[in-house]
Amino acid sequence: MKMISKYSKFVPYLYFIAVIVYWFTDVNKSSGITAYPILLFGIPFIWQLIKPSKKLNFTLGITFVCISSYLILAYLSDLFNIITLTSATKQFIIYGGLFVAANFIMALWMIRNSIKRSF
């Protein structure tokens, strides 16, 4: 249990790195070399794994809470405008909802980690 609590602070960074890698591979299939700038988004998260910084952690947390809040609003507005529910629409609702919720939870987790370290 001690080991789990020791490494649990790295979960949000690994999550966002995994999302960036998935986004890169998905765009790389269709766009080729123009997808490589996407990998630059992973630098702050990798930096937090190597050399943690309270300010960077708090900045990343606040930034992604704002982005996730916008994603939640966009997801809900898209959800309410859907009239017919096809199987692809239902799949979008499930995966989109999980993605939006996971982003929000991970951003809050980063903020919680930075607040916990400051006290």
Side-chain angles (χ1 to χ4, degrees), residues 14-118:
L14 295 173
Y15 168 78
F16 283 114
I17 290 171
V19 168
I20 290 167
V21 168
Y22 175 76
W23 183 28
F24 167 75
T25 56
D26 190 45
V27 172
N28 193 26
K29 289 177 188 174
S30 61
S31 299
I33 198 161
T34 58
Y36 283 94
I38 293 172
L39 293 176
L40 295 175
F41 289 118
I43 291 173
F45 299 107
I46 293 171
W47 185 258
Q48 279 298 99
L49 291 175
I50 296 170
K51 188 177 179 190
S53 167
K54 287 185 233 177
K55 289 182 180 181
L56 179 61
N57 189 33
F58 193 72
T59 304
L60 285 172
I62 292 295
T63 302
F64 279 91
V65 163
C66 293
I67 291 171
S68 297
S69 299
Y70 174 74
L71 275 173
I72 290 170
L73 291 175
Y75 174 75
L76 290 176
S77 70
D78 194 34
L79 184 66
F80 292 138
N81 288 334
I82 296 174
I83 297 171
T84 59
L85 292 176
T86 63
S87 63
T89 306
K90 289 179 187 175
Q91 187 177 12
F92 163 75
I93 290 171
I94 292 170
Y95 291 139
L98 290 174
F99 176 72
V100 167
N103 279 343
F104 190 70
I105 290 168
M106 293 300 162
L108 288 176
W109 196 342
M110 282 194 298
I111 291 174
R112 180 180 149 257
N113 286 344
S114 66
I115 290 173
K116 191 188 290 186
R117 288 182 195 160
S118 65

